[in-house]
Amino acid sequence: MKELISSITKDYLYRLIKDGKRLDGRGLLEHRKLDIETGWIGTAEGSARVHLGDTDVIVGVKMSTGEPFPDTPDRGVMITSAELIPMASPTYEAGPPREDATELARVVDRGIREGKVIDMTKLCIKEGEEVWLAFLDMHILDFDGNLFDACGIAAMAALLDSTVPAETFGFGEDYPLPIDHVVIPTTFYKIKEQIMLDARLEEEMISDARLTVGTNEKGEIVSMQKGLSGVFDYQDTLFCIEKSKEIGDSIRALMKK
Amino acid sequence: MKELISSITKDYLYRLIKDGKRLDGRGLLEHRKLDIETGWIGTAEGSARVHLGDTDVIVGVKMSTGEPFPDTPDRGVMITSAELIPMASPTYEAGPPREDATELARVVDRGIREGKVIDMTKLCIKEGEEVWLAFLDMHILDFDGNLFDACGIAAMAALLDSTVPAETFGFGEDYPLPIDHVVIPTTFYKIKEQIMLDARLEEEMISDARLTVGTNEKGEIVSMQKGLSGVFDYQDTLFCIEKSKEIGDSIRALMKK
Amino acid sequence: MKELISSITKDYLYRLIKDGKRLDGRGLLEHRKLDIETGWIGTAEGSARVHLGDTDVIVGVKMSTGEPFPDTPDRGVMITSAELIPMASPTYEAGPPREDATELARVVDRGIREGKVIDMTKLCIKEGEEVWLAFLDMHILDFDGNLFDACGIAAMAALLDSTVPAETFGFGEDYPLPIDHVVIPTTFYKIKEQIMLDARLEEEMISDARLTVGTNEKGEIVSMQKGLSGVFDYQDTLFCIEKSKEIGDSIRALMKK
Amino acid sequence: MADEDVKLIDEKGIRLDGRRFDELRPISIEAGVLKRADGSAYLEWGENKVLAAVYGPREMHPRHAQNPSRAVVQARYNMAAFSVPDRKRPGPDRRSVEISKIMSEALEEIVFVEQFPRASIDVFVEVLEASAGTRCAALTAASVALADAGIPMSDIISSCAAGKIDGQIVLDLGKKEDNYGEADVPLGMVPSSGKITLLQMDGNLTLEEYKQVMELAMGACKKIYQLQRDALKRRYSTSLKNFEEMADDTEEV
Amino acid sequence: MADEDVKLIDEKGIRLDGRRFDELRPISIEAGVLKRADGSAYLEWGENKVLAAVYGPREMHPRHAQNPSRAVVQARYNMAAFSVPDRKRPGPDRRSVEISKIMSEALEEIVFVEQFPRASIDVFVEVLEASAGTRCAALTAASVALADAGIPMSDIISSCAAGKIDGQIVLDLGKKEDNYGEADVPLGMVPSSGKITLLQMDGNLTLEEYKQVMELAMGACKKIYQLQRDALKRRYSTSLKNFEEMADDTEEV
Amino acid sequence: MADEDVKLIDEKGIRLDGRRFDELRPISIEAGVLKRADGSAYLEWGENKVLAAVYGPREMHPRHAQNPSRAVVQARYNMAAFSVPDRKRPGPDRRSVEISKIMSEALEEIVFVEQFPRASIDVFVEVLEASAGTRCAALTAASVALADAGIPMSDIISSCAAGKIDGQIVLDLGKKEDNYGEADVPLGMVPSSGKITLLQMDGNLTLEEYKQVMELAMGACKKIYQLQRDALKRRYSTSLKNFEEMADDTEEV
């Protein structure tokens, strides 16, 4: 099932956006109220619940040990998955992960992996034989648009909250999950030639194109993903990258508190 | 697909039951003719075919060896599954196990597991490394109601019939599967405030609520499962438990012959 | 979805066949232009693309190492699969292998396995522990009938093209996959009492019965498979076997070039 | 469940977590916690954390599953991968399929399903953290979420387990008590009428012990019923206050 | 199939289980063994135990699979988990998918499918114990079940295999003969007309050997045909007797 | 991607396969290579071998997935089991699901989907041999196949990646460069308008580096665009020639 939107709402939204305005009075490049709560789940090695406006997601990190991949024998392994559980929206149905969930999980995963967020070499127990596996599971509880940012931020926060349960597995003392970089994704939506940040559901539904840019604390770009069937031009992408750095810095500052 | 029943049959059944009568002339707390045939399948370690009236089921036990669960390193493992194969009813379809089959398998499984029917410590080969796995597979061949009792009784009979194939696996002489308790489930159905035992298909279809009670040879309760969207009250449950003990004893007596 | 054919085409085909003629002017026992191209895929241990008229298939062989089956500890293992990918026909849909694909894969597999094409004893690395696994994957790219022959020939050609990648796996020098026999399947179709070889799609669609006969270079029969809901009589089968030997020889000759 | 040499009750009758035999773990319930769902509830029960959402009555898909004379209540119990010490593989397993089924049946009893032919009423429960007793927590939360969604119901269901540990009958088994105890009886009931809508039992009980177990569990259901009502009252008063404030705002204009 | 140094025939021409080259294993067939199915049959063939049930003609689901001009025969061959020495995982594997397909095709030949447009005729075969030759046993039992269901048919199919072991042509291979023999040819045919509805072959045969194999198998099919007819006759006479008794009872009243 | 001590560029600025930083691997494209598909293309790009087929516009199944106001473009990217050094299990994995999704979205931009309400336009891409850059190869081939199918389109998409290896910005990363390089940016665009329809990035780039990467990739897209047009021209002229020959034949009669 697809989310549906009436043509009246659609027209109203178009008119607002044309004037650079938004449903909730935000500026085009302003994100919604962001709330990050960590350490929420006792059974997880790390967890974070993120409210981005009314979008509500929870990410839990579980760790266990297992074999490394043959081509990276001295590195831990991260496995990311996302469930668009039917609780979150009248249009989600139970069942195998939809392609939306797959893209979401992969984009969050790449942001962390390619951004070298975790120092994977410190998750090696015995080279070629046993390493730490970190499972990152994302649950969408309430869906009001822009899961890419909500989940990406929650994933980052959950990793920062995580402890390697070495004691439980008989490998010495627990230690914090070794984090090298703090990557923050920001997602831009293009609607009728206007570019805006952090779309709510209704805005997302009328978006022509979507661009997610992940940056680290040095302002380097570590991941990008363009989505939807509309287009950006080259200048748009430069604009989004510049803004992403700024906004990423402000969110990183928020996370340090 | 659901089993369908005409409103005429329905009304007729309601009238009968109101008078404490049943389609086939049985008393409310009488079960149908029970026929247990064991040792039926040469390829199985143990097997039993049970006819409960026209309900016809077969349970086979297969054993092999494997790793124990980490939290019970010195115990064997039992795995139960049920297939509502389309042979048994025009409404069963081939495919992944339906929730009915899942509930059935789990209720039979719990009766045996929680009733400590098998002495699992005698199924340990080498602690933490290798134990016996007992696979209990239930096939429904002809469906005329009350699978819980037919399968539960067949499972118990098949286990009593089973031999641990130690020789085949190179672990000494074969020996009978060590059985500590004989658990018999009895299932009660509530229709318009009347409680009856062992419903036939048509009765099951108009039942408001279902209660399965498993007891052992000492008269102890080892498992209960309430089903369907109707209700019992507390006194009903006491009544069913008392009756379950009686009927369980008579079926246990029958099995010893 | 099923392939559909108009009743006009059907009648036209029937009339042609009655006179021993075919759509493309071939004789009843003549196969279409056969084109075999091997060594096509660099990432495969062996590969062959076969055009049989407009039917276009590709078979790739991949090898790795693994455990042998317990009952054949000194032999390699072959695993065959076929994908009727939706590229090949408007009626194929993505998804789990259909029963057509299953039959195809199994018939090709049996021709090779029962024809003792590969000397499996030469694929043993360490008895009972490690042997070579040969994966034979068939992709149908363009479907104009008679996949049995196209895939069977392509599989044989791909095996003849294959090298055991011993070096990559650290087991000495690469060597050609040891081939003992060259098995060629030929498929006959019965339409209104006429028997013809190598049906095109339209002919296949109006066929009453199908018979695949695999023979080796000694003229021995190694596999047969009758399909479709029509019938053959005993004399038909003798006729097909005789012809299969002849045609098999001519195709074997073609492959040696 | 297996009776090992773990000591679950000390000589003073105190349980591992400090409770007496008839004490519940702390329970807190909040209704109306999600925006998109028609109704929702969040429940913490000891270390259990459970979220319930209700959608419906809405058109049933697929159509052939519609019931022409009434609504179908479809509950889905799901455990988050991170809700248990050893990560759970996402997706339904046999345990959650069974719990979903008996929850659906229990809830159907209290909903006026005849009012919504062909409709489905969907109840989604996510267990975010699990620590024994999740099915009772789920059923309790689902009842509140149904009420929050304004679904016409005869009453609400309260649910609690009791059982036997170290030979004694106790209320509301904790994690270790569940693992090493001798019997567990999850009960779901309508406290006002005494109707039993969910009942399971695993382990070993005499009839006499069963009676004690049920007395404890039925008593606890009444307490939980009060907590459920309080949560709904708070929710209504918040809604009311919001409404009044809106009204006030309007007057000011 | 692999020719090992297992000796399958002794110097007197006697096979492992005591049979001569042209002997069938014992076969017994009973029709009408299930209540809910429209037709059924139970067959024991050596140590093979096979149950067949028929439902239909009935409406085909899903609708898009209907054939507007005729019925579709859908056979499903399934092995019970406990039917083989090493437990089989439940559910269809590639082997059973293939057997189901060729059985469906074979049976479609004898059913007057044109009489039931859009319908499906479902044949379910459960292999409860397997010991070489289950597909022939399944097809033989399915034919009887179809007749028992009163499905209009031109005739029935009989099925038997023959093959080569220790270089000799023999009828109806047993388990070890199948494992260590050189060729196996399962045949399904309408004995009265000689029509071949099922034919497979695996192994290695010369044309001459193939002729001997077929002669044996075709001969055996005729014997099996008689057993099938006998089973149906017994079934009809029982039905008839039941009917007559009912009639008698009625007269007595 | 992991920066190891593999040397990817020598001191003369030459890459492992002999290319300079701004050189493409050899590319060849052929349109109209399959008979049954409505349109098709075969593309070799370095050692990548990719086949694309288009079916449609045709009725969308299942119906509930139809869009009443326009056609839906459904691309399916699939890798053959033998297309990679370690055999890939058949069937879609998460990577191919994602690539299929972004390809579908990219292609929808250029097709006049409003002309075909309720229809589906299906694009099937099979990667027969893979060696870095398959998604760009797939998108490039798919565009040609769509044109070959005569689907009304505003223009075609050309696709190419650029990235960073050994600290240098290079075009069209090869297999080792992809494995050991520092960043990869696959780009899909309509060269005539500069519209970006596909854009991904993995690794680590400064804004300045991003600009260099994009310049290289956008330039390459223009070259590839020319190759696509040439392939289509050859295809049309062959069709035309065939048509003329047919016409000639007709006249001769």
Side-chain angles (χ1 to χ4, degrees), chain C residues 3 42-43 54 62 85-87 89-90 135 137 139 142-143 201, chain F residues 34-36 51 55 58 81-85 87 124 126 129:
Chain C
E3 301 275 355
T43 41
D54 286 342
K62 288 293 305 173
I85 51 174
M87 164 177 283
S89 155
F135 292 91
D137 285 284
H139 263 233
D142 217 347
F143 173 47
L201 179 60
Chain F
L34 298 174
K35 301 286 173 179
R36 297 223 59 196
L51 200 51
Y55 285 93
R58 58 184 179 182
F82 45 76
S83 65
V84 279
R87 178 179 182 263
F124 302 111
E126 294 293 319
E129 185 171 347

mmCIF file of all heavy atoms in Angstrom, chain C residues 3 42-43 54 62 85-87 89-90 135 137 139 142-143 201, chain F residues 34-36 51 55 58 81-85 87 124 126 129:
data_model
loop_
_atom_site.group_PDB
_atom_site.id
_atom_site.type_symbol
_atom_site.label_atom_id
_atom_site.label_comp_id
_atom_site.label_asym_id
_atom_site.label_seq_id
_atom_site.Cartn_x
_atom_site.Cartn_y
_atom_site.Cartn_z
ATOM 1 N N GLU C 3 2.038 -19.213 -21.433
ATOM 2 C CA GLU C 3 2.175 -18.746 -22.812
ATOM 3 C C GLU C 3 0.836 -18.982 -23.510
ATOM 4 O O GLU C 3 0.179 -20.001 -23.310
ATOM 5 C CB GLU C 3 3.277 -19.552 -23.527
ATOM 6 C CG GLU C 3 4.662 -19.467 -22.891
ATOM 7 C CD GLU C 3 5.455 -18.252 -23.363
ATOM 8 O OE1 GLU C 3 4.973 -17.537 -24.253
ATOM 9 O OE2 GLU C 3 6.539 -18.001 -22.817
ATOM 10 N N GLY C 42 34.528 -14.763 -17.879
ATOM 11 C CA GLY C 42 35.824 -14.814 -17.222
ATOM 12 C C GLY C 42 35.773 -15.223 -15.764
ATOM 13 O O GLY C 42 36.710 -15.838 -15.252
ATOM 14 N N THR C 43 34.683 -14.886 -15.080
ATOM 15 C CA THR C 43 34.594 -15.201 -13.657
ATOM 16 C C THR C 43 34.189 -16.646 -13.390
ATOM 17 O O THR C 43 34.227 -17.094 -12.244
ATOM 18 C CB THR C 43 33.566 -14.262 -12.973
ATOM 19 O OG1 THR C 43 32.437 -14.117 -13.844
ATOM 20 C CG2 THR C 43 34.155 -12.911 -12.677
ATOM 21 N N ASP C 54 16.318 -19.399 -31.944
ATOM 22 C CA ASP C 54 16.217 -18.193 -31.125
ATOM 23 C C ASP C 54 16.216 -18.474 -29.631
ATOM 24 O O ASP C 54 16.099 -17.545 -28.824
ATOM 25 C CB ASP C 54 14.947 -17.411 -31.495
ATOM 26 C CG ASP C 54 15.109 -16.712 -32.834
ATOM 27 O OD1 ASP C 54 16.250 -16.546 -33.286
ATOM 28 O OD2 ASP C 54 14.070 -16.335 -33.425
ATOM 29 N N LYS C 62 30.805 -22.862 -11.578
ATOM 30 C CA LYS C 62 31.656 -22.298 -10.527
ATOM 31 C C LYS C 62 32.096 -23.438 -9.625
ATOM 32 O O LYS C 62 31.316 -24.364 -9.370
ATOM 33 C CB LYS C 62 30.871 -21.287 -9.685
ATOM 34 C CG LYS C 62 30.551 -19.976 -10.352
ATOM 35 C CD LYS C 62 31.747 -19.111 -10.650
ATOM 36 C CE LYS C 62 32.581 -18.831 -9.422
ATOM 37 N NZ LYS C 62 33.840 -18.102 -9.815
ATOM 38 N N ILE C 85 14.620 -16.666 -15.796
ATOM 39 C CA ILE C 85 14.584 -15.245 -15.490
ATOM 40 C C ILE C 85 13.588 -14.534 -16.402
ATOM 41 O O ILE C 85 13.386 -14.921 -17.553
ATOM 42 C CB ILE C 85 15.979 -14.613 -15.598
ATOM 43 C CG1 ILE C 85 16.611 -14.969 -16.942
ATOM 44 C CG2 ILE C 85 16.859 -15.073 -14.464
ATOM 45 C CD1 ILE C 85 17.929 -14.272 -17.178
ATOM 46 N N PRO C 86 12.928 -13.493 -15.872
ATOM 47 C CA PRO C 86 11.834 -12.864 -16.609
ATOM 48 C C PRO C 86 12.290 -12.159 -17.884
ATOM 49 O O PRO C 86 11.454 -11.758 -18.694
ATOM 50 C CB PRO C 86 11.236 -11.880 -15.603
ATOM 51 C CG PRO C 86 12.273 -11.693 -14.559
ATOM 52 C CD PRO C 86 13.089 -12.935 -14.533
ATOM 53 N N MET C 87 13.589 -12.013 -18.061
ATOM 54 C CA MET C 87 14.114 -11.465 -19.307
ATOM 55 C C MET C 87 13.725 -12.310 -20.507
ATOM 56 O O MET C 87 13.521 -11.796 -21.609
ATOM 57 C CB MET C 87 15.635 -11.431 -19.192
ATOM 58 C CG MET C 87 16.375 -11.260 -20.482
ATOM 59 S SD MET C 87 18.152 -11.140 -20.155
ATOM 60 C CE MET C 87 18.251 -9.439 -19.564
ATOM 61 N N SER C 89 11.160 -14.235 -21.377
ATOM 62 C CA SER C 89 9.811 -14.421 -21.910
ATOM 63 C C SER C 89 8.844 -13.506 -21.181
ATOM 64 O O SER C 89 8.988 -13.291 -19.978
ATOM 65 C CB SER C 89 9.386 -15.884 -21.712
ATOM 66 O OG SER C 89 7.979 -15.978 -21.660
ATOM 67 N N PRO C 90 7.835 -12.994 -21.870
ATOM 68 C CA PRO C 90 6.858 -12.147 -21.171
ATOM 69 C C PRO C 90 6.077 -12.908 -20.107
ATOM 70 O O PRO C 90 5.434 -12.296 -19.267
ATOM 71 C CB PRO C 90 5.930 -11.665 -22.293
ATOM 72 C CG PRO C 90 6.193 -12.550 -23.455
ATOM 73 C CD PRO C 90 7.579 -13.079 -23.307
ATOM 74 N N PHE C 135 29.220 -26.068 -9.091
ATOM 75 C CA PHE C 135 27.893 -25.454 -9.222
ATOM 76 C C PHE C 135 27.631 -25.176 -10.689
ATOM 77 O O PHE C 135 28.405 -24.478 -11.346
ATOM 78 C CB PHE C 135 27.824 -24.136 -8.456
ATOM 79 C CG PHE C 135 27.905 -24.300 -6.977
ATOM 80 C CD1 PHE C 135 29.131 -24.274 -6.325
ATOM 81 C CD2 PHE C 135 26.761 -24.476 -6.220
ATOM 82 C CE1 PHE C 135 29.216 -24.424 -4.951
ATOM 83 C CE2 PHE C 135 26.831 -24.624 -4.850
ATOM 84 C CZ PHE C 135 28.063 -24.601 -4.211
ATOM 85 N N ASP C 137 25.088 -23.434 -13.064
ATOM 86 C CA ASP C 137 23.953 -22.514 -13.078
ATOM 87 C C ASP C 137 23.525 -22.202 -14.498
ATOM 88 O O ASP C 137 24.330 -21.776 -15.319
ATOM 89 C CB ASP C 137 24.307 -21.219 -12.339
ATOM 90 C CG ASP C 137 24.313 -21.416 -10.841
ATOM 91 O OD1 ASP C 137 23.210 -21.484 -10.270
ATOM 92 O OD2 ASP C 137 25.401 -21.536 -10.249
ATOM 93 N N HIS C 139 21.135 -20.050 -17.035
ATOM 94 C CA HIS C 139 20.322 -18.842 -17.203
ATOM 95 C C HIS C 139 19.664 -18.890 -18.576
ATOM 96 O O HIS C 139 20.348 -19.048 -19.581
ATOM 97 C CB HIS C 139 21.206 -17.596 -17.130
ATOM 98 C CG HIS C 139 21.214 -16.965 -15.796
ATOM 99 N ND1 HIS C 139 20.946 -15.643 -15.574
ATOM 100 C CD2 HIS C 139 21.434 -17.498 -14.590
ATOM 101 C CE1 HIS C 139 21.024 -15.379 -14.297
ATOM 102 N NE2 HIS C 139 21.323 -16.480 -13.676
ATOM 103 N N ASP C 142 16.722 -16.074 -23.665
ATOM 104 C CA ASP C 142 15.692 -15.854 -24.683
ATOM 105 C C ASP C 142 15.025 -17.202 -24.892
ATOM 106 O O ASP C 142 15.706 -18.213 -25.102
ATOM 107 C CB ASP C 142 16.352 -15.366 -25.987
ATOM 108 C CG ASP C 142 15.500 -14.331 -26.715
ATOM 109 O OD1 ASP C 142 14.310 -14.172 -26.371
ATOM 110 O OD2 ASP C 142 16.039 -13.683 -27.644
ATOM 111 N N PHE C 143 13.712 -17.232 -24.800
ATOM 112 C CA PHE C 143 13.014 -18.504 -24.756
ATOM 113 C C PHE C 143 12.186 -18.723 -26.012
ATOM 114 O O PHE C 143 11.158 -18.120 -26.212
ATOM 115 C CB PHE C 143 12.117 -18.549 -23.513
ATOM 116 C CG PHE C 143 11.218 -19.743 -23.459
ATOM 117 C CD1 PHE C 143 11.702 -21.025 -23.720
ATOM 118 C CD2 PHE C 143 9.867 -19.601 -23.136
ATOM 119 C CE1 PHE C 143 10.859 -22.129 -23.677
ATOM 120 C CE2 PHE C 143 9.028 -20.695 -23.091
ATOM 121 C CZ PHE C 143 9.522 -21.965 -23.364
ATOM 122 N N LEU C 201 8.878 -22.562 -29.766
ATOM 123 C CA LEU C 201 7.891 -22.248 -28.742
ATOM 124 C C LEU C 201 6.465 -22.600 -29.158
ATOM 125 O O LEU C 201 5.727 -23.268 -28.427
ATOM 126 C CB LEU C 201 7.987 -20.765 -28.386
ATOM 127 C CG LEU C 201 7.000 -20.279 -27.346
ATOM 128 C CD1 LEU C 201 7.178 -21.017 -26.037
ATOM 129 C CD2 LEU C 201 7.146 -18.777 -27.112
ATOM 130 N N LEU F 34 17.956 -9.544 -28.282
ATOM 131 C CA LEU F 34 17.052 -10.634 -27.877
ATOM 132 C C LEU F 34 15.789 -10.598 -28.735
ATOM 133 O O LEU F 34 15.378 -9.544 -29.210
ATOM 134 C CB LEU F 34 16.671 -10.508 -26.397
ATOM 135 C CG LEU F 34 17.820 -10.590 -25.378
ATOM 136 C CD1 LEU F 34 17.317 -10.296 -23.976
ATOM 137 C CD2 LEU F 34 18.482 -11.972 -25.430
ATOM 138 N N LYS F 35 15.188 -11.774 -28.928
ATOM 139 C CA LYS F 35 14.025 -11.863 -29.816
ATOM 140 C C LYS F 35 12.708 -11.611 -29.092
ATOM 141 O O LYS F 35 11.807 -10.964 -29.603
ATOM 142 C CB LYS F 35 13.955 -13.259 -30.448
ATOM 143 C CG LYS F 35 15.179 -13.638 -31.248
ATOM 144 C CD LYS F 35 15.242 -12.896 -32.575
ATOM 145 C CE LYS F 35 16.568 -13.185 -33.256
ATOM 146 N NZ LYS F 35 16.723 -12.534 -34.535
ATOM 147 N N ARG F 36 12.546 -12.208 -27.915
ATOM 148 C CA ARG F 36 11.242 -12.137 -27.282
ATOM 149 C C ARG F 36 10.985 -10.796 -26.610
ATOM 150 O O ARG F 36 9.854 -10.321 -26.577
ATOM 151 C CB ARG F 36 11.097 -13.263 -26.263
ATOM 152 C CG ARG F 36 11.174 -14.622 -26.958
ATOM 153 C CD ARG F 36 10.167 -15.598 -26.467
ATOM 154 N NE ARG F 36 8.796 -15.225 -26.600
ATOM 155 C CZ ARG F 36 7.813 -15.814 -25.950
ATOM 156 N NH1 ARG F 36 8.073 -16.743 -25.070
ATOM 157 N NH2 ARG F 36 6.561 -15.455 -26.126
ATOM 158 N N LEU F 51 23.336 -7.638 -19.829
ATOM 159 C CA LEU F 51 22.277 -7.784 -20.817
ATOM 160 C C LEU F 51 21.032 -7.115 -20.243
ATOM 161 O O LEU F 51 20.714 -7.316 -19.068
ATOM 162 C CB LEU F 51 22.039 -9.283 -21.030
ATOM 163 C CG LEU F 51 21.350 -9.821 -22.259
ATOM 164 C CD1 LEU F 51 21.965 -9.290 -23.541
ATOM 165 C CD2 LEU F 51 21.443 -11.352 -22.242
ATOM 166 N N TYR F 55 10.219 -5.151 -21.355
ATOM 167 C CA TYR F 55 8.874 -5.596 -21.739
ATOM 168 C C TYR F 55 7.897 -4.490 -21.368
ATOM 169 O O TYR F 55 7.923 -3.985 -20.262
ATOM 170 C CB TYR F 55 8.481 -6.880 -20.998
ATOM 171 C CG TYR F 55 9.158 -8.129 -21.531
ATOM 172 C CD1 TYR F 55 10.341 -8.596 -20.978
ATOM 173 C CD2 TYR F 55 8.590 -8.837 -22.592
ATOM 174 C CE1 TYR F 55 10.957 -9.743 -21.467
ATOM 175 C CE2 TYR F 55 9.201 -9.980 -23.080
ATOM 176 C CZ TYR F 55 10.383 -10.434 -22.525
ATOM 177 O OH TYR F 55 10.976 -11.566 -23.017
ATOM 178 N N ARG F 58 2.866 -2.786 -20.582
ATOM 179 C CA ARG F 58 1.915 -3.891 -20.534
ATOM 180 C C ARG F 58 1.112 -3.792 -19.247
ATOM 181 O O ARG F 58 1.466 -3.018 -18.350
ATOM 182 C CB ARG F 58 2.641 -5.231 -20.618
ATOM 183 C CG ARG F 58 3.664 -5.477 -19.526
ATOM 184 C CD ARG F 58 4.391 -6.810 -19.773
ATOM 185 N NE ARG F 58 5.397 -7.082 -18.763
ATOM 186 C CZ ARG F 58 6.199 -8.164 -18.772
ATOM 187 N NH1 ARG F 58 6.096 -9.067 -19.724
ATOM 188 N NH2 ARG F 58 7.090 -8.351 -17.817
ATOM 189 N N ALA F 81 24.747 -16.266 -10.976
ATOM 190 C CA ALA F 81 25.530 -16.930 -9.930
ATOM 191 C C ALA F 81 27.016 -16.969 -10.285
ATOM 192 O O ALA F 81 27.878 -16.881 -9.418
ATOM 193 C CB ALA F 81 25.004 -18.350 -9.723
ATOM 194 N N PHE F 82 27.302 -17.067 -11.588
ATOM 195 C CA PHE F 82 28.690 -17.248 -12.026
ATOM 196 C C PHE F 82 29.358 -15.932 -12.409
ATOM 197 O O PHE F 82 30.445 -15.915 -12.962
ATOM 198 C CB PHE F 82 28.733 -18.220 -13.217
ATOM 199 C CG PHE F 82 27.682 -17.955 -14.257
ATOM 200 C CD1 PHE F 82 27.803 -16.898 -15.140
ATOM 201 C CD2 PHE F 82 26.548 -18.762 -14.339
ATOM 202 C CE1 PHE F 82 26.829 -16.649 -16.081
ATOM 203 C CE2 PHE F 82 25.567 -18.513 -15.280
ATOM 204 C CZ PHE F 82 25.703 -17.458 -16.156
ATOM 205 N N SER F 83 28.705 -14.806 -12.111
ATOM 206 C CA SER F 83 29.215 -13.518 -12.580
ATOM 207 C C SER F 83 30.313 -12.956 -11.687
ATOM 208 O O SER F 83 30.902 -11.929 -12.017
ATOM 209 C CB SER F 83 28.070 -12.508 -12.663
ATOM 210 O OG SER F 83 27.563 -12.244 -11.373
ATOM 211 N N VAL F 84 30.541 -13.587 -10.559
ATOM 212 C CA VAL F 84 31.527 -13.075 -9.599
ATOM 213 C C VAL F 84 32.484 -14.194 -9.202
ATOM 214 O O VAL F 84 32.144 -15.371 -9.326
ATOM 215 C CB VAL F 84 30.835 -12.510 -8.336
ATOM 216 C CG1 VAL F 84 30.328 -11.100 -8.595
ATOM 217 C CG2 VAL F 84 29.684 -13.401 -7.902
ATOM 218 N N PRO F 85 33.693 -13.841 -8.721
ATOM 219 C CA PRO F 85 34.674 -14.882 -8.389
ATOM 220 C C PRO F 85 34.115 -15.923 -7.408
ATOM 221 O O PRO F 85 34.233 -17.115 -7.652
ATOM 222 C CB PRO F 85 35.832 -14.086 -7.771
ATOM 223 C CG PRO F 85 35.743 -12.744 -8.429
ATOM 224 C CD PRO F 85 34.274 -12.485 -8.598
ATOM 225 N N ARG F 87 30.933 -17.747 -6.138
ATOM 226 C CA ARG F 87 29.569 -17.914 -6.635
ATOM 227 C C ARG F 87 28.543 -17.190 -5.763
ATOM 228 O O ARG F 87 28.548 -17.305 -4.549
ATOM 229 C CB ARG F 87 29.203 -19.401 -6.667
ATOM 230 C CG ARG F 87 27.774 -19.643 -7.120
ATOM 231 C CD ARG F 87 27.449 -21.114 -7.156
ATOM 232 N NE ARG F 87 26.110 -21.337 -7.638
ATOM 233 C CZ ARG F 87 25.049 -21.531 -6.837
ATOM 234 N NH1 ARG F 87 25.189 -21.521 -5.550
ATOM 235 N NH2 ARG F 87 23.848 -21.711 -7.354
ATOM 236 N N PHE F 124 14.597 -5.652 -17.274
ATOM 237 C CA PHE F 124 15.342 -6.722 -16.614
ATOM 238 C C PHE F 124 16.805 -6.647 -17.021
ATOM 239 O O PHE F 124 17.120 -6.685 -18.205
ATOM 240 C CB PHE F 124 14.762 -8.084 -17.003
ATOM 241 C CG PHE F 124 13.305 -8.213 -16.665
ATOM 242 C CD1 PHE F 124 12.339 -8.279 -17.667
ATOM 243 C CD2 PHE F 124 12.903 -8.255 -15.344
ATOM 244 C CE1 PHE F 124 10.996 -8.386 -17.346
ATOM 245 C CE2 PHE F 124 11.562 -8.362 -15.015
ATOM 246 C CZ PHE F 124 10.608 -8.425 -16.021
ATOM 247 N N GLU F 126 20.477 -8.427 -16.515
ATOM 248 C CA GLU F 126 21.247 -9.562 -16.015
ATOM 249 C C GLU F 126 22.725 -9.230 -16.119
ATOM 250 O O GLU F 126 23.224 -8.952 -17.213
ATOM 251 C CB GLU F 126 20.960 -10.817 -16.844
ATOM 252 C CG GLU F 126 19.552 -11.327 -16.736
ATOM 253 C CD GLU F 126 19.224 -11.851 -15.336
ATOM 254 O OE1 GLU F 126 20.083 -12.528 -14.745
ATOM 255 O OE2 GLU F 126 18.115 -11.568 -14.847
ATOM 256 N N GLU F 129 28.753 -11.052 -16.175
ATOM 257 C CA GLU F 129 30.092 -11.021 -15.588
ATOM 258 C C GLU F 129 30.265 -9.645 -14.958
ATOM 259 O O GLU F 129 29.888 -8.635 -15.550
ATOM 260 C CB GLU F 129 31.171 -11.282 -16.646
ATOM 261 C CG GLU F 129 32.566 -11.380 -16.020
ATOM 262 C CD GLU F 129 33.628 -11.866 -17.009
ATOM 263 O OE1 GLU F 129 33.269 -12.353 -18.095
ATOM 264 O OE2 GLU F 129 34.821 -11.746 -16.680
#
